[in-house]
Amino acid sequence: MRSLFKGIVTIVIVGALLAAGALWYAQPQGALDLSYNDLPVREKLAAMVIHRKPEAVLTEQEVGDLLKKALARRSELRPGVKLTGARFFLQGERLAADVTLLLQDRWKVGARLNFDLAWNEPYLTAVHTGTVVRDVAVPAEWLSLRPIEVDLNHYLPKHVAIRGVAFEESAVRVTFGLRL
């Protein structure tokens, strides 16, 4: 009986140490938040007039701000998992986000979310393709996000339409035309 008790205590201690080690390993590497700046529409329109081109370039920061704004509205990704911070990195049609997650309102976890970007008129859409905590891939069953959609027409005058979207290495180029 005594050896059974020692075995159970040992298993509990080893389990607690493994859980503590996993939480330490998953700690965020830096402080992130969900603050964002609104898209500078007037500056973009002024640049179009100056350059006489019906296009605007959204920088990596601006794309990140648009996505942060969308995520801030639905920061609870699933029950018990809340997004508290993000920083986005644009790589052509791929997007990565370093994020801070809060699990069960207690434990902070740093992760990288990977996305594919697409233009599905009228939405700039980011489709979640995977999650990595440091170098460990998280199974899709544990964390899967709905696509993030940003309605770019929301930022345009009613008589202007988006004709095309091109994904560049660290920017998104949007071309415009008139609505008929």
Side-chain angles (χ1 to χ4, degrees):
M1 183 70 163
R2 187 175 181 138
S3 65
L4 178 63
F5 179 71
K6 281 184 180 181
I8 292 172
V9 169
T10 301
I11 290 172
V12 169
I13 290 172
V14 168
L17 289 173
L18 287 173
L23 287 173
W24 172 80
Y25 181 77
Q27 285 291 307
Q29 300 299 302
L32 299 172
D33 60 30
L34 286 177
S35 63
Y36 58 87
N37 294 315
D38 281 325
L39 189 64
V41 175
R42 288 184 182 192
E43 288 85 355
K44 298 290 182 190
L45 292 173
M48 285 177 20
V49 170
I50 290 170
H51 298 311
R52 296 181 185 177
K53 286 187 175 181
E55 67 180 23
V57 175
L58 301 177
T59 65
E60 179 179 72
Q61 178 68 42
E62 291 166 340
V63 171
D65 285 343
L66 289 170
L67 293 169
K68 273 188 183 183
K69 184 176 183 178
L71 282 171
R73 290 189 207 131
R74 61 173 212 207
S75 63
E76 188 159 3
L77 302 179
R78 60 179 285 179
V81 180
K82 186 174 185 180
L83 181 74
T84 61
R87 180 178 0 163
F88 290 90
F89 304 96
L90 190 57
Q91 302 150 347
E93 291 182 357
R94 304 234 186 266
L95 182 78
D98 287 343
V99 299
T100 302
L101 304 171
L102 187 62
L103 305 179
Q104 303 300 322
D105 290 325
R106 279 187 214 156
W107 302 293
K108 286 187 178 182
V109 172
R112 175 159 282 200
L113 304 177
N114 296 307
F115 299 91
D116 284 338
L117 288 176
W119 170 245
N120 299 313
E121 192 172 345
Y123 299 107
L124 175 64
T125 305
V127 178
H128 181 233
T129 58
T131 303
V132 177
V133 174
R134 293 222 186 155
D135 295 324
V136 179
V138 175
E141 301 84 45
W142 291 6
L143 184 63
S144 181
L145 279 68
R146 295 184 321 230
I148 304 166
E149 295 179 328
V150 176
D151 184 357
L152 294 180
N153 286 324
H154 172 74
Y155 297 93
L156 301 175
K158 290 186 180 190
H159 59 280
V160 175
I162 296 173
R163 294 288 177 229
V165 174
F167 299 101
E168 299 175 355
E169 188 57 32
S170 60
V172 175
R173 185 172 303 275
V174 182
T175 55
F176 303 99
L178 295 176
R179 285 188 206 270
L180 299 176

